[in-house]
Amino acid sequence: MRVQDLIKIKGDSVITVAESIRVKDAAGVMHERAVGALVVVAPAGQLKGVISEREIVVALARHGRDALELQAIDLMLDSRPVVAPSDSVRDAMTIMTEQRVRHLPVVADGAVVGLISLGDTVKARLSEKIAENLVLQDIARWPVAAVA
């Protein structure tokens, strides 16, 4: 399965925020939209990074309430790593594991076309493995079914 297939399934909606948004406002957007991460963009719209619940929690642990007044650019993970729509979901999972990130922007021709999470990739790979398993079970039963 390719990342573009995963985007088709989950949707290509990407919630973006300005790099100057305050952390408390970013948290409010996450809450309102029921998402765990936001894509941070520069005024011209180019990808700057990702801010997630994880970065907010770490900032709160380090700075207390003052963290809420920081800007997204102060906490976000920079624009690396990213994946392309043509990359495999397995490769995306590897990047997430090695880089210890839970969200990856999907970039095509310099534009963000999606955002995938580790949970999205696990769900896709599980569905893929279940389908493979069912095919193998059918193949294993085929001679018996053909005789009956």
Side-chain angles (χ1 to χ4, degrees):
M1 180 180 273
R2 300 271 167 220
V3 170
Q4 62 198 8
D5 302 320
L6 179 54
I7 294 294
K8 285 179 189 172
I9 293 167
K10 76 168 280 196
D12 60 359
S13 175
V14 179
I15 303 166
T16 61
V17 294
E19 57 192 349
S20 61
I21 191 173
R22 289 183 303 174
V23 169
K24 71 178 180 179
D25 297 326
V29 171
M30 287 181 200
H31 175 69
E32 289 170 14
R33 303 296 292 271
V35 296
L38 303 168
V39 172
V40 181
V41 295
Q46 67 268 38
L47 173 66
K48 295 297 283 186
V50 174
I51 185 168
S52 72
E53 296 162 328
R54 177 188 257 179
E55 286 77 47
I56 293 172
V57 168
V58 169
L60 286 168
R62 287 186 182 157
H63 306 288
R65 296 184 82 140
D66 293 340
L68 298 175
E69 297 304 320
L70 296 173
Q71 294 180 340
I73 196 167
D74 299 324
L75 305 183
M76 69 180 195
L77 299 175
D78 70 15
S79 61
R80 291 178 198 86
V82 300
V83 291
S86 59
D87 290 339
S88 73
V89 171
R90 185 176 355 159
D91 289 344
M93 289 179 81
T94 300
I95 291 168
M96 289 176 172
T97 302
E98 290 174 356
Q99 299 290 318
R100 298 186 48 84
V101 296
R102 293 185 176 141
H103 300 88
L104 282 179
V106 182
V107 177
D109 299 323
V112 178
V113 296
L115 181 69
I116 60 173
S117 71
L118 185 56
D120 296 331
T121 63
V122 169
K123 182 178 176 183
R125 290 287 289 158
L126 181 59
S127 295
E128 194 173 52
K129 292 300 176 188
I130 289 170
E132 288 175 9
N133 188 4
L134 291 172
V135 168
L136 291 173
Q137 287 179 25
D138 287 345
I139 291 170
R141 287 189 222 121
W142 185 77
V144 175
V147 174

